[in-house]
Amino acid sequence: SVCRLTGIRPAMLKQAETFPEVYRAFKDWCGDEFSFITWSETDIPVLMDNLLMHGIPLDNIPVCYDLQRIFGCEILRNDSQCALESAMDMLRLPKAKAHDALNDVRNTVKIADFLDLPALIEHYETRYVNYGEDRLSDVFGHKPYPSTSEAIDDESIVTFTCPCCDERLKADAFVFSRSGKPIGTATCSNDTSYFIRIGGTRVDRQSIVISRRIFRMNDDLQDIYDEAAEDME
């Protein structure tokens, strides 16, 4: 259970400060210039979902880095998803007890210190685009499709507005990533490029609902796209 894994009990939550209060204090602590480094790509979307749920704008989400991805590419030399605890063991780093938020941060910092991040961060920087609009849209998470392959034929799924120039863009040249998800690209007339990943959650045997994540293109995402395109040749 969650209680056994984290030690967090319902009584503790009842006495805790609200999410908006904690987030405001955290942002003040971060200061004017900061980035988010996480272990896996799932944490930032969860944070943004909570911000949306509490009516807090996503404007201040900074550039993000997935240290799990960086560790896999730079240390393991593959795209596998290694657990934080396993990474600590591989590097023979002393680790604090896992599944505690503060300890997980301490362990992540130790791995970050092991890597030459200043030489790597430009390659891996992640910027989310239109996340709030997609999550609040009726297009995503509601309309059923037989498959993601069918979904990418729907213009409402593959079109979006460029946040830099307000140009309406259509993602194209979709290929399938090694995880089986359609990934595509789009470039506005000002040469700002984007990476689009389409996901699906099964609701019954015949249908799925669609999710979408759009990112500013970076070197790592371009590598992912190019490798998937080569696999399909």
Side-chain angles (χ1 to χ4, degrees):
S1 72
V2 173
C3 292
R4 285 198 302 271
L5 186 65
T6 66
I8 300 173
R9 302 189 177 279
M12 299 167 64
L13 296 177
K14 289 180 180 179
Q15 298 172 5
E17 294 177 287
T18 65
F19 177 86
E21 291 171 330
V22 172
Y23 182 71
R24 185 163 50 249
F26 174 68
K27 195 171 66 171
D28 289 344
W29 176 80
C30 287
D32 295 331
E33 294 186 17
F34 61 97
S35 299
F36 285 152
I37 298 178
T38 63
W39 190 265
S40 92
E41 65 174 15
T42 59
D43 291 337
I44 299 301
V46 170
L47 171 62
M48 292 193 292
D49 284 344
N50 277 275
L51 294 174
L52 292 171
M53 182 172 65
H54 290 281
I56 302 173
L58 304 185
D59 301 344
N60 292 320
I61 293 293
V63 61
C64 305
Y65 301 94
D66 176 6
L67 198 64
Q68 185 185 57
R69 169 74 183 168
I70 299 173
F71 180 84
C73 292
E74 301 295 331
I75 303 298
L76 302 181
R77 295 297 178 180
N78 59 47
D79 57 2
S80 63
Q81 294 180 328
C82 181
L84 178 59
E85 194 169 5
S86 299
M88 296 290 290
D89 290 337
M90 288 180 195
L91 299 178
R92 298 182 179 179
L93 295 172
K95 58 179 182 287
K97 183 179 178 182
H99 304 307
D100 171 278
L102 185 56
N103 285 339
D104 284 351
V105 168
R106 290 176 174 138
N107 291 336
T108 302
V109 167
K110 289 177 183 177
I111 295 177
D113 286 342
F114 180 88
L115 297 166
D116 185 9
L117 282 187
L120 300 171
I121 54 176
E122 184 175 352
H123 186 84
Y124 293 98
E125 70 174 26
T126 301
R127 297 181 186 273
Y128 290 82
V129 176
N130 291 4
Y131 186 87
E133 292 90 331
D134 282 4
R135 294 294 283 176
L136 299 175
S137 170
D138 288 336
V139 174
F140 298 97
H142 296 88
K143 183 179 177 180
Y145 293 86
S147 67
T148 52
S149 298
E150 304 243 350
I152 59 177
D153 291 331
D154 184 341
E155 286 215 3
S156 65
I157 296 295
V158 298
T159 55
F160 65 98
T161 301
C162 172
C164 299
C165 63
D166 291 329
E167 182 180 351
R168 194 68 178 162
L169 303 179
K170 181 179 179 180
D172 56 14
F174 276 95
V175 296
F176 285 85
S177 68
R178 291 174 179 175
S179 64
K181 294 179 179 178
I183 53 177
T185 63
T187 303
C188 74
S189 56
N190 290 329
D191 290 329
T192 302
S193 296
Y194 299 95
F195 176 95
I196 300 90
R197 181 186 290 127
I198 304 296
T201 302
R202 186 155 297 283
V203 291
D204 55 44
R205 291 183 178 180
Q206 287 77 38
S207 59
I208 60 174
V209 291
I210 296 300
S211 61
R212 180 177 76 178
R213 290 184 190 171
I214 306 172
F215 307 91
R216 284 280 294 270
M217 185 65 81
N218 64 25
D219 291 340
D220 180 48
L221 294 174
Q222 188 66 59
D223 288 345
I224 292 173
Y225 181 84
D226 291 343
E227 289 168 6
E230 289 177 8
D231 288 344
M232 292 185 66
E233 291 179 353

